[in-house]
Amino acid sequence: MSDTIFSKIIRREIPADIVYEDQDVMAFRDLNPQAPVHVLFIPKKPIATLNDAAAGDADLLGKLLLAAATYAKSEGFAEQGYRTVINCNEDGGQTVFHMHVHLLAGRRLIWPPG
Ligand code: AMP
């Protein structure tokens, strides 16, 4: 997988507003937020798209979602609600090819999305 801007954030070569980090996961605020809360949860292991995740990545994928839910609870908006999104490839609207979970909250989110 080629290097992406998210790998540079993990290596702290470029700045980001990091809100959570552990051995496997990093989370930082989206540069172009689509809601009052817009945080990206990324695996430190570079996986380009959800298509590239293997069976051995199951724990890691679970950790991303659990980290998002834990963050929502710790920030106090879990009960009000939020949305998690993984965009995949062109039709999914993916622009950064280091897979990530978007966590969106703080406003009523429309469904279905555009
Ligand atoms: P996606 O379109 O699903 O691949 O999402 C990529 C997201 O990364 C977009 O919402 C961008 O606004 C966000 N993004 C791109 N570069 C940065 C950056 N340097 N720091 C934080 N978020 C970024």
Side-chain angles (χ1 to χ4, degrees):
M1 191 186 117
S2 60
D3 210 28
T4 68
I5 196 134
F6 290 177
S7 300
K8 291 183 172 62
I9 289 173
I10 292 167
R11 295 195 300 266
R12 289 179 160 73
E13 291 170 7
I14 62 166
D17 188 355
I18 297 166
V19 300
Y20 176 77
E21 183 173 16
D22 64 27
Q23 193 183 317
D24 302 310
V25 174
M26 181 181 270
F28 48 88
R29 293 188 198 284
D30 197 293
L31 208 56
N32 183 25
Q34 301 302 310
V37 177
H38 189 172
V39 174
L40 303 174
F41 289 79
I42 71 171
K44 288 188 175 174
K45 172 185 174 180
I47 299 170
T49 78
L50 187 56
N51 291 338
D52 300 298
D57 296 317
D59 278 358
L60 184 54
L61 296 180
K63 283 179 183 176
L64 290 176
L65 291 176
L66 289 172
T70 300
Y71 179 77
K73 290 174 195 169
S74 71
E75 291 295 305
F77 60 80
E79 288 304 317
Q80 182 65 32
Y82 57 90
R83 182 172 295 166
T84 52
V85 175
I86 301 174
N87 296 326
C88 184
N89 280 338
E90 189 174 352
D91 279 2
Q94 187 173 4
T95 58
V96 178
F97 288 85
H98 180 129
M99 75 146 292
H100 47 281
V101 175
H102 295 257
L103 171 64
L104 299 145
R107 68 170 171 84
R108 189 64 178 260
L109 297 158
I110 55 165
W111 190 264

